[in-house]
Amino acid sequence: MIAFFLSLSLSCSQNIIRKESTMTELLPLEKSIIHTDHNGLTQEEFANLKEKTIKAKDLSYSPYSNFRVGATILTTCGEYISGANVENASYGACICAERTAITRAVVSGFKSFRAIGISTDLKDKIGSPCGICRQVIREFGLNVSIYLFNVDGSKYFRVQLKDILPLSFGPSDLGLPEHDG
Ligand code: THU
């Protein structure tokens, strides 16, 4: 069962208090729903995404946390673009794996994504994208599937971006088209 909890959050712009469902912790795999479907990805695409996401951890520069994170984007053009977390002696300058993969994709000319894989070195748990990364993923599509892999990809957890970032703000709120249509 997915571990969700209700939190109260204050929306400054609307000056209301609303309840949100937020996944905030690393989920013990044994207590999670392990998806066996690939949500539109072929077996080959899923296998590629998994392999490249696990391998992306080798790109990590994380001497301060020693917490390697790898990420791989699958674009709607079928490209796989990987990134990893890059830390800094000035801790606030650290950038997460998801965002290095996304910025790399964007400057390579890809702005429409089908899926993103994320992996850590946790064996029996999976890492979940931080709030900033959820917002950056959202820029390129509410319908992006997020695959969270354990250390070797032997287990994974799939969520949709819109389910972990409800009531989100994106391009259409500023009159621009959404990148994933
Ligand atoms: N990290 C990510 O790469 N992605 C996330 O979504 C959460 C955290 C990284 C940042 C930092 O280098 C390390 O994990 C510990 O927070």
Side-chain angles (χ1 to χ4, degrees), residues 72-127:
T72 297
I73 302 289
L74 172 58
T75 73
T76 52
C77 297
E79 298 282 331
Y80 296 88
I81 299 172
S82 292
N85 54 332
V86 178
E87 298 186 344
N88 193 283
S90 176
Y91 294 170
C94 293
I95 182 167
C96 295
E98 298 90 322
R99 282 179 283 146
T100 63
I102 289 169
T103 51
R104 190 176 177 191
V106 171
V107 298
S108 299
F110 303 101
K111 299 188 190 70
S112 181
F113 307 152
R114 286 174 64 196
I116 178 169
I118 303 163
S119 68
T120 68
D121 286 324
L122 299 170
K123 188 178 175 195
D124 297 318
K125 296 180 179 180
I126 45 180

Side-chain angles (χ1 to χ4, degrees), residues 61-62 65 67 69 84-87 94-98 128-130 133:
Y61 174 73
S62 46
S65 71
F67 190 81
V69 185
N85 54 332
V86 178
E87 298 186 344
C94 293
I95 182 167
C96 295
E98 298 90 322
S128 184
C130 77
C133 288

Side-chain angles (χ1 to χ4, degrees), residues 3-16:
F4 282 95
F5 83 97
L6 290 175
S7 67
L8 293 175
S9 87
L10 181 64
S11 168
C12 298
S13 58
Q14 297 175 36
N15 200 26
I16 58 167

Side-chain angles (χ1 to χ4, degrees), residues 28-40:
L29 284 175
E30 64 275 13
K31 293 181 182 172
S32 305
I33 298 169
I34 307 299
H35 291 268
T36 53
D37 64 310
H38 301 146
N39 194 40

